[in-house]
Amino acid sequence: MRVFIGYVGEHGSTRGIAERIAATLTAQGHQADVADLADARTAAPDHDACVLGSAVHNGRWMPAAAEYLRRYAPELARQPLWLFSVGLARVLGGPLERWSRNPEPLPSVRDLLAPADHHLFAGAFEREHTTWAGHVFFRALGGHYGDHRDWREIDAWATGIAHRLLPVPPTKEHHRSGCTQDHPGPLTQDR
Ligand SMILES: Cc1cc2nc3c(=O)[nH]c(=O)nc-3n(C[C@H](O)[C@H](O)[C@H](O)COP(=O)(O)O)c2cc1C
């Protein structure tokens, strides 16, 4: 299947995750096209599924990513869709825990779209990504700089998508004979 992988980020870690998802899907036999949603002028035409992600800024998806979802919701609702957020999930705790929750990309997203999953990945955060005041705040609350991306987690998530996009197993006999599927089966596209 041909999968569109769109992302919005600022410092490259979200793009890196999008590219890694694409590599995993490609290795599993799918075709994957990666694009920055800030440059997107149309909904992904000619694709069978979409994976869309954004860095989390101040508890929200970045505006270009949220705007893409809002603008192209009718088209996106017609195909299998996965969402991912990239923030400081599981890296921050205590007073910053609220800051690192997986945000709704849009307040009304559940009315507009029914994604198969919305996963929160840990991203990267370096000293030069914030102001002096932000630095003081971040460190005072126990935040740690660095690249916290978990590539095994990312690969596992992408592999799950790849399996769900596989063609339907050949016959009903296959199920009756007691063969176990190693994936939950393809998504229906007529939601
Ligand atoms: C201005 C700014 C605001 C941020 N706000 C949040 C936030 O509210 N919650 C969070 O979990 N991470 C936050 N982060 C961390 C980023 O989401 C994280 O570093 C992510 O990996 C950045 O992706 P990028 O490298 O693609 O820009 C923020 C980072 C910046 C620079």
Side-chain angles (χ1 to χ4, degrees):
M1 287 216 180
R2 190 169 175 203
V3 186
F4 177 75
I5 302 171
Y7 68 90
V8 179
E10 187 175 4
H11 296 291
S13 64
T14 306
R15 185 185 68 233
I17 290 173
E19 288 171 347
R20 184 75 168 223
I21 292 168
T24 301
L25 291 175
T26 303
Q28 300 277 339
H30 299 289
Q31 184 182 336
D33 301 309
V34 181
D36 187 336
L37 295 178
D39 300 330
R41 295 287 169 265
T42 61
D46 309 324
H47 288 80
D48 304 302
C50 276
V51 182
L52 304 177
S54 174
V56 182
H57 271 202
N58 302 317
R60 296 161 184 254
W61 265 33
M62 295 188 71
E67 172 59 19
Y68 183 91
L69 279 192
R70 194 191 57 73
R71 180 178 300 167
Y72 298 116
E75 292 87 342
L76 293 170
R78 288 198 286 270
Q79 56 185 306
L81 172 70
W82 282 263
L83 304 177
F84 66 95
S85 300
V86 183
L88 295 176
R90 281 163 274 140
V91 177
L92 301 177
L96 290 178
E97 192 271 336
R98 274 180 73 88
W99 204 56
S100 60
R101 287 185 190 156
N102 197 2
E104 289 291 332
L106 288 173
S108 55
V109 71
R110 287 174 203 277
D111 299 332
L112 299 171
L113 300 167
D117 191 20
H118 177 192
H119 196 84
L120 176 62
F121 292 114
F125 194 52
E126 304 295 347
R127 169 66 188 91
E128 59 270 24
H129 297 170
T130 189
T131 59
W132 182 83
H135 165 70
V136 171
F137 179 72
F138 184 70
R139 292 294 293 127
L141 292 175
H144 293 285
Y145 294 112
D147 187 344
H148 305 288
R149 289 175 291 181
D150 181 337
W151 297 110
R152 291 207 326 195
E153 179 189 4
I154 295 161
D155 291 347
W157 193 69
T159 299
I161 294 173
H163 287 176
R164 290 195 71 185
L165 293 173
L166 287 174
V168 180
T171 66
K172 289 182 180 171
E173 286 307 314
H174 180 81
H175 295 288
R176 288 202 198 103
S177 67
C179 291
T180 52
Q181 279 182 282
D182 62 354
H183 62 85
L187 288 176
T188 176
Q189 295 198 23
D190 54 2
R191 289 194 301 254

